[in-house]
């Protein structure tokens, strides 16, 4: 097998793997801005990783087959052109990965900054405090300000509006827990006495499973909840009903 033919085989294999990965990515529905950013980064890295994997494995298989009958190992011959080529190619790949990762990790929907909290109160953002405790969840709906006590509180089930920015402050009442909603791409540790921040914008209405993702004791497996994404007008009606109708300690509707 010539070098040219081996290269063509490697490229063909990379194309097949890319085509196989594309339908799987298309089938993954991004239900929030956060989820979309994370999956976009994963796919960009996958497009880089697949050709590299195929190329390296192709060279390895070719080398084993080509020199299968060689009784003694031959010394490696110096090839400056090849060394310069793979050095430049590696630098380009690392630059691409770094830029793609930075663009996602710098987004407030993926990594919230502590300094953003004052600015959030001046924006059209729904503010909700998430409090974990053995072994359940309590949600405080602060609406547009962290100041003062929340007028609406729910347990177990969190309700948020669709197509609107939502900022979550995650904390714990006793010890370490972790707020995790895989369907929306949300995850944050919950520490007692301090707040971690999440920000997202849910695109699709529906109900998503909430887990505690940190082993927290004998009741860890039962520390479940739901996140219900509803249309904006339905969410506002629900908040008004909870304030006026009374049971602000409800666990859902």
């Amino acid at each position: 097998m010539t070098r040219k033919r081996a290269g063509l085989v490697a490229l063909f294999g990379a194309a097949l793997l890319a085509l196989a990965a594309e339908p799987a990515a298309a089938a993954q529905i991004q239900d929030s801005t956060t989820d979309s950013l994370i999956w976009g980064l994963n796919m960009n890295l996958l497009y880089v990783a697949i050709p590299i994997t195929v190329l390296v494995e192709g060279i390895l298989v070719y080398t084993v087959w080509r020199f299968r009958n060689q009784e003694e190992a031959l010394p490696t011959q110096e090839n400056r052109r090849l060394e310069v080529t793979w050095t430049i190619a590696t630098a380009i790949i690392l630059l691409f990965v770094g830029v793609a990762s930075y663009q996602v990790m710098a987004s407030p929907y993926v990594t919230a900054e502590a300094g953003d909290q004052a600015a959030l109160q001046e924006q059209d953002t729904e503010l909700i405090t998430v409090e974990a405790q053995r072994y359940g969840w309590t949600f405080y709906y602060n609406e547009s300000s962290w100041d003062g006590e929340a007028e609406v509180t729910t347990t177990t089930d969190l309700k948020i509006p669709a197509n609107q920015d939502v900022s979550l402050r995650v904390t714990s009442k006793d010890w370490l827990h972790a707020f995790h909603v895989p369907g929306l791409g949300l995850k944050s540790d919950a520490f007692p006495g301090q707040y971690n921040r999440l920000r997202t914008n849910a695109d699709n209405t529906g109900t998503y499973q909430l887990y505690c993702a940190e082993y927290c004791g004998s009741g860890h497996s039962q520390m479940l909840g739901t996140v219900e994404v509803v249309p904006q007008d339905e969410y506002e009606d629900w908040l008004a009903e909870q304030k006026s109708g009374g049971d602000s300690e409800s666990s859902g509707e």
Side-chain angles (χ1 to χ4, degrees), residues 38-75:
I38 293 173
W39 270 94
L41 176 59
N42 285 341
M43 291 308 303
N44 285 335
L45 297 182
L46 190 62
Y47 290 140
V48 173
I50 286 178
I52 294 176
T53 301
V54 173
L55 178 61
V56 172
E57 293 301 319
I59 294 174
L60 177 61
V61 171
Y62 169 75
T63 303
V64 171
W65 179 85
R66 174 68 175 78
F67 300 101
R68 67 189 184 280
N69 296 323
Q70 192 76 36
E71 295 182 359
E72 296 182 3
L74 297 177

Side-chain angles (χ1 to χ4, degrees), residues 14 43 57 60 78 85 95-96 114 122 175-176 182 185 236 242:
M43 291 308 303
E57 293 301 319
L60 177 61
E78 181 180 356
T85 299
L95 180 62
F96 171 80
E122 301 177 359
W175 55 42
L176 181 61
E236 293 177 355
Q242 295 300 308

Side-chain angles (χ1 to χ4, degrees), residues 132-133 135-137 177 210-212 216 219-225:
Q133 69 277 332
Y135 292 100
W137 304 93
H177 301 276
L210 162 63
Y211 304 90
C212 176
C216 55
H220 168 71
S221 60
Q222 283 78 47
M223 194 170 172
L224 304 174

Side-chain angles (χ1 to χ4, degrees), residues 185-196:
L186 301 176
K187 186 176 183 182
S188 176
D189 288 331
F191 297 103
Q194 70 181 68
Y195 294 98
N196 284 332

